[in-house]
């Protein structure tokens, strides 16, 4: 599934704003704020759903080869964080919604395989 398909599938429930105009394909979702847990358990190609909107989150996403990050609860990354994401072509999105609601919406539209 692509991030563009995801956005159109859940837009009536969860508004996702692209922060850098990058779109990607993804294979699943991992929700977490403890970055050591994300390093230990997230899989390449997944979207990370988190409130951690700082540069360490980008470093973890790059290390794990994540497809995108969705920042929840209205969190906005700094200019430095946005620049780091651009450098590694990482799609970033923001939503005012909670991690629970965002993850649940993604789970409802993800193809099962």
């Amino acid at each position: 599934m692509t991030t563009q398909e995801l956005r159109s599938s859940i837009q009536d429930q969860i508004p996702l704003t692209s922060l850098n105009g990058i779109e990607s394909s993804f294979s699943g979702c991992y929700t977490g704020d403890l970055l050591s847990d994300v390093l230990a358990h997230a899989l390449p190609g997944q979207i990370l759903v988190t409130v951690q909107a700082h540069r360490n989150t980008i470093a973890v996403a790059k290390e794990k080869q994540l497809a995108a990050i969705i920042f929840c609860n209205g969190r906005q990354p700094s200019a430095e964080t946005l620049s780091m994401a651009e450098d590694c072509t990482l799609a970033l999105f923001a939503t005012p919604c909670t991690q629970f609601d965002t993850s649940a919406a993604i789970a409802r539209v993800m193809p099962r395989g």
Side-chain angles (χ1 to χ4, degrees):
M1 176 173 247
T2 68
T3 52
Q4 189 171 26
E5 291 168 335
L6 173 67
R7 287 169 53 209
S8 63
S9 296
I10 66 172
Q11 67 186 352
D12 58 332
Q13 308 159 18
I14 307 293
L16 289 180
T17 302
S18 176
L19 299 176
N20 59 3
I22 298 172
E23 300 287 346
S24 63
S25 295
F26 67 98
S27 57
C29 172
Y30 193 84
T31 302
D33 294 326
L34 187 59
L35 294 180
S36 60
D37 184 67
V38 175
L39 274 170
H41 300 288
L43 299 175
Q46 290 182 322
I47 289 179
L48 173 61
V49 177
T50 187
V51 296
Q52 298 292 343
H54 53 75
R55 65 189 193 137
N56 291 345
T57 310
I58 305 302
V60 167
K62 182 178 178 182
E63 175 69 23
K64 293 301 291 191
Q65 299 176 355
L66 299 178
I69 300 173
I70 299 174
F71 300 115
C72 295
N73 294 347
R75 301 286 170 89
Q76 294 289 320
S78 68
E80 176 189 23
T81 301
L82 287 169
S83 178
M84 286 179 67
E86 296 246 347
D87 289 346
C88 58
T89 320
L90 179 65
L92 299 182
F93 300 91
T95 183
C97 299
T98 67
Q99 293 161 281
F100 176 83
D101 289 336
T102 303
S103 300
I106 293 169
R108 282 191 294 273
V109 300
M110 274 298 301
R112 303 287 179 202

